[in-house]
Amino acid sequence: MRPACLREVVERARADGDGDHHLQNFLDAFYRHDGDITVQSAMIAEDPGFLGEARPDAFLGGVGEHLARRWRLPAIPAWVRHEARYLDKAMFVPDERNLRNYLLCVSPVSFRPRLISTGPDPLQRARFPYHRGVIRMPLTFPQGSAATALFNAKR
């Protein structure tokens, strides 16, 4: 059975150490309730607690905030603002050196203050509600911008 809330993700991860698997299952359950903001809000409302590792604890803070923002839920849970939900050293997901500049540019606002750089829609899954659209890095830039100059210079 999929975790019904982020607290269950943390509990299961403590038990078997496979937090990524449980988070992915949680996201599938969250997206299954797309459009039901009452259910989705309840799924992220409760403080999930901590795993005791800086990176996963910070990432979970980003997940809670991102889901609330991305799906326009009525409130961002207060627990995401706990100081242990922020890193003091940058983290890149994925940690590929040649992607770092891209990830710095497109990382969602829920992850940036936590020093987590990731793709523009980092929580996509098979059940992701694609009909709502995805966030992508633009392929065109405003005329006269520094990005346009750089892009054209590499041609």
Side-chain angles (χ1 to χ4, degrees):
M1 201 162 161
R2 297 181 199 274
C5 62
L6 285 173
R7 180 187 45 76
E8 287 183 20
V9 171
V10 171
E11 288 172 356
R12 292 176 187 193
R14 283 185 195 137
D16 67 13
D18 196 358
D20 185 56
H21 171 75
H22 299 301
L23 178 60
Q24 300 306 320
N25 280 329
F26 166 79
L27 291 171
D28 286 342
F30 185 88
Y31 297 143
R32 184 169 39 95
H33 294 288
D34 181 46
D36 189 340
I37 62 172
T38 302
V39 171
Q40 287 182 312
S41 294
M43 292 176 81
I44 64 169
E46 185 181 354
D47 185 341
F50 296 96
L51 290 164
E53 298 177 46
R55 287 178 164 212
D57 287 338
F59 194 81
L60 277 173
V63 167
E65 183 175 345
H66 183 73
L67 291 173
R69 287 180 184 278
R70 178 74 168 91
W71 305 111
R72 300 176 194 256
L73 301 181
I76 296 171
W79 63 265
V80 306
R81 301 279 186 238
H82 189 283
E83 64 186 27
R85 301 282 181 201
Y86 295 84
L87 298 174
D88 54 13
K89 184 178 177 190
M91 173 179 157
F92 294 88
V93 181
D95 192 10
E96 298 290 333
R97 182 166 291 288
N98 51 348
L99 289 178
R100 287 184 175 185
N101 288 336
Y102 170 75
L103 295 176
L104 284 168
C105 290
V106 300
S107 189
V109 68
S110 303
F111 291 93
R112 285 182 191 181
R114 292 174 167 78
L115 300 182
I116 300 171
S117 295
T118 188
D121 245 338
L123 305 178
Q124 287 183 0
R125 295 281 300 146
R127 288 189 182 265
F128 188 86
Y130 287 99
H131 67 278
R132 297 244 220 153
V134 294
I135 300 170
R136 294 191 175 113
M137 178 73 170
L139 295 178
T140 58
F141 304 98
Q143 283 293 40
S145 72
T148 299
L150 284 171
F151 181 76
N152 289 333
K154 292 185 178 198
R155 286 184 169 183

